[in-house]
Amino acid sequence: MDRKQITIKVFGGEQKCASCVNLPSSKETAEWLQAAISRKYPDQLFTIEFIDIFSTVEAENQKFAHQIVEEDLFYPVVVINDEIVAEGNPRLKDIYAIMELNGYKDVG
């Protein structure tokens, strides 16, 4: 199976959401995902973008930023292939499953 390079978008704010007191910030979550996925899929290209929903958001990301605010979703919200795959505290297992469906190979 050919691997499609994935872009993982982590939407949230520099500040933690009010309901997420004991969880890392959205930016910290993006950094954690970068490290964890890089270890599991070394030398397999992917991109992680942190999008601050409270600053200027590019047109392609406005739909999700607006949805997060309007629907009061818990952030960080993780989006892969234009689909929300995690809200609040993302589970690596779920993200890994999507990566593997897209052709990434676990070398561990």
Side-chain angles (χ1 to χ4, degrees), residues 71-85:
E71 296 179 18
D72 234 1
L73 300 178
F74 293 113
Y75 51 86
V77 171
V78 179
V79 174
I80 300 175
N81 296 337
D82 291 326
E83 185 177 327
I84 293 176
V85 298

